[in-house]
Amino acid sequence: MTISYSDTFLKLLFRWKGSLWKAIWKHLLIFLTMYYIINAYYRFGMTKEQQNEFIKYVMLVDGWTKEIPLTFLLGFYVAMIVRRWWDCCQLISWPDHLLYNVSALIRGQDPETRIIRKTIARYAILTSVLAWRSISLRVLARYPTDDHLVDSGLMTKEEMVMFKSILVHVDPHQKWWVPLNWIQTMMVRCFEKGTLTHTNELRVLLDALEKYRNGFFQLFIYDWIAIPLVYTQVSTISVYGYFLFALIGRQYPSKNENEEIVDVYVPIFTILQFLFYVGWLKVGEDLMFPFGADDEDFEFNYILERNLEVSMLIVDDLHNQVPPVYVESLDDEIHLLHTSASSKLSNHPQRQHLRKLKFNVDAMQVQAVPGNHLNEREVSVSTTSKLSFADLENLANGPKNLPKF
């Protein structure tokens, strides 16, 4: 099998889903339509005198476009949005850490202990649904009402009655933290009845639960506190204003800096600028709210399905499971293998940058530094071999009367 990176690159370059072409093709079509309408009127609807007068305005407006600091505005704006988008990605809560600790510390195969572990896992997934449907269009469309939670088995009818009986006056729809409180109560009761044998075990579970909760809370902060509207407006107006002026300033035929007539039917460089700048702006617009249903938004539905399956495996099927280990395996050797494909890939192992640095013999000789007691006593073997017995005695007693070499 031959791995062709050029083919992979071309597939990514011309892919439609989530691509630059899908994001800006309508805008580019509108821009080119307006451009060629002006260009056709310039070429065929104006007299020679009008064309000469129009060229003056073309050169004037083209100079104006150079006064807009578009690269600076867009670069800072998009960099801030990408950093914010990555922070949101890092704050997605995964129950693995919490449930690994639950499986390790709440041990037992009796029905009661298994129910406790599986209920904690179910409450963890229920918290995800309740929290994410407040910010994610995908999750809200999947679980629009509380009844859908009962139908899916994430919540029992008794739990639903208890859930609805909890009154929250400030924000009645934000009760996503209630299942976490139920998990905390179950952990404390496990400690009280002796399933957890030490307060440190309870502390580990509560810390993992707090880490799981904090991800949802921080994600709500990012959803609540958006990038200031004025910043978005400045960047958007700058980009579209730039290309509004470019409709006139990039018309051909025109004149260059040497007053020579230049005629181009397809403004290639202007089209490239449109792809770069408008595409750059669209990146910021798409990543500003990553909780929607666009191609590049977070796939919360997949995350929920993955978390549910993995959670039940951790707390039940894989609990206390380990392959058998035999004494004979002590003599088994492990050999890392290569396939034909992997052996052809370039290999760049770690190399310390000083590994080839060598000192000559003179540079490695130890020298005595005046005023340093240790250095004055630490002399090389080749030097001490030339000293007399009296000199060695002076060295043993201190730096007094130290001979000069």
Side-chain angles (χ1 to χ4, degrees):
M1 182 185 70
T2 303
I3 301 176
S4 176
Y5 293 102
S6 59
D7 294 343
T8 303
F9 174 75
L10 291 176
K11 289 180 181 179
L12 291 176
L13 183 62
F14 295 105
R15 189 181 70 174
W16 179 255
K17 182 179 179 181
S19 66
L20 171 66
W21 325 113
K22 183 178 180 180
I24 70 168
W25 74 270
K26 293 181 181 179
H27 301 75
L28 181 59
L29 181 62
I30 294 173
F31 175 79
L32 291 178
T33 301
M34 297 174 63
Y35 177 88
Y36 280 110
I37 289 175
I38 298 174
N39 189 264
Y41 181 71
Y42 170 36
R43 291 177 182 273
F44 307 110
M46 293 184 182
T47 63
K48 190 65 176 179
E49 293 76 13
Q50 291 174 333
Q51 288 180 349
N52 292 333
E53 191 70 20
F54 186 74
I55 288 179
K56 297 179 182 179
Y57 287 99
V58 168
M59 298 180 66
L60 176 64
V61 175
D62 185 43
W64 289 350
T65 59
K66 300 174 183 178
E67 302 297 327
I68 302 177
L70 203 57
T71 303
F72 171 76
L73 290 173
L74 272 180
F76 191 75
Y77 174 68
V78 175
M80 180 174 59
I81 290 180
V82 171
R83 183 170 59 250
R84 184 177 186 271
W85 170 82
W86 181 246
D87 290 341
C88 291
C89 182
Q90 295 292 95
L91 290 173
I92 295 177
S93 295
W94 305 85
D96 304 38
H97 176 70
L98 170 64
L99 298 180
Y100 275 129
N101 284 284
V102 169
S103 180
L105 298 177
I106 304 179
R107 306 190 60 79
Q109 292 289 359
D110 57 287
E112 181 181 1
T113 307
R114 290 183 60 197
I115 291 174
I116 291 175
R117 290 197 304 267
K118 295 186 69 172
T119 303
I120 290 176
R122 179 167 59 86
Y123 286 166
I125 304 302
L126 176 61
T127 302
S128 302
V129 175
L130 292 174
W132 288 342
R133 75 176 183 179
S134 300
I135 61 175
S136 173
L137 180 60
R138 297 176 188 268
V139 182
L140 180 60
R142 190 171 185 177
Y143 297 97
T145 65
D146 293 339
D147 294 334
H148 289 80
L149 300 174
V150 178
D151 295 338
S152 64
L154 289 173
M155 186 182 290
T156 64
K157 294 182 179 179
E158 293 79 7
E159 292 167 349
M160 176 61 67
V161 172
M162 183 182 298
F163 183 77
K164 290 185 176 181
S165 65
I166 300 173
L167 300 179
V168 179
H169 299 288
V170 177
D171 194 351
H173 301 288
Q174 294 295 330
K175 296 191 291 185
W176 59 270
W177 44 267
V178 171
L180 296 180
N181 189 72
W182 294 345
I183 294 177
Q184 177 180 274
T185 303
M186 294 179 67
M187 291 176 176
V188 173
R189 290 183 177 177
C190 286
F191 174 72
E192 292 174 345
K193 73 175 185 179
T195 305
L196 299 175
T197 58
H198 199 279
T199 55
N200 288 341
E201 296 179 352
L202 178 61
R203 182 74 267 166
V204 169
L205 292 180
L206 293 179
D207 287 343
L209 183 63
E210 169 61 21
K211 183 179 179 181
Y212 186 65
R213 182 206 67 86
N214 189 61
F216 297 112
F217 182 77
Q218 294 293 332
L219 211 56
F220 284 148
I221 298 297
Y222 275 97
D223 180 67
W224 177 32
I225 307 298
I227 293 177
L229 179 61
V230 62
Y231 200 0
T232 303
Q233 290 175 336
V234 168
S235 301
T236 304
I237 293 174
S238 298
V239 172
Y240 289 111
Y242 178 90
F243 287 103
L244 185 62
F245 286 117
L247 288 174
I248 303 297
R250 302 299 174 82
Q251 290 291 336
Y252 292 97
S254 182
K255 291 183 179 180
N256 59 16
E257 61 274 7
N258 298 322
E259 297 297 323
E260 298 172 341
I261 298 295
V262 179
D263 192 4
V264 176
Y265 287 93
V266 180
I268 298 296
F269 187 74
T270 303
I271 293 176
L272 289 176
Q273 280 188 316
F274 193 93
L275 293 176
F276 298 153
Y277 290 141
V278 178
W280 212 357
L281 181 65
K282 286 298 177 182
V283 167
E285 293 177 354
D286 292 342
L287 298 184
M288 184 182 299
F289 183 75
F291 309 118
D294 295 332
D295 293 338
E296 300 301 327
D297 288 337
F298 296 154
E299 294 285 351
F300 279 113
N301 283 331
Y302 160 77
I303 296 174
L304 285 174
E305 293 174 359
R306 178 264 175 202
N307 286 350
L308 177 61
E309 181 178 12
V310 173
S311 297
M312 293 304 170
L313 286 173
I314 291 174
V315 300
D316 195 45
D317 295 348
L318 299 181
H319 176 71
N320 206 32
Q321 181 187 109
V322 63
V325 179
Y326 303 100
V327 177
E328 291 79 4
S329 62
L330 291 173
D331 299 328
D332 294 342
E333 295 185 0
I334 300 175
H335 300 282
L336 299 180
L337 304 178
H338 264 298
T339 63
S340 299
S342 66
S343 62
K344 296 177 182 179
L345 298 177
S346 59
N347 188 24
H348 304 283
Q350 182 183 7
R351 294 284 189 270
Q352 290 75 24
H353 70 284
L354 294 179
R355 67 187 186 277
K356 294 183 179 181
L357 181 62
K358 302 295 183 182
F359 292 98
N360 55 39
V361 177
D362 295 336
M364 292 187 291
Q365 292 297 325
V366 179
Q367 295 183 356
V369 179
N372 191 324
H373 180 70
L374 292 177
N375 284 331
E376 291 176 347
R377 298 185 59 159
E378 293 176 356
V379 294
S380 63
V381 176
S382 61
T383 305
T384 56
S385 61
K386 302 176 182 178
L387 300 178
S388 64
F389 180 78
D391 294 332
L392 292 176
E393 185 178 8
N394 290 333
L395 285 176
N397 295 330
K400 297 179 180 181
N401 301 324
L402 184 67
K404 297 181 180 180
F405 305 105

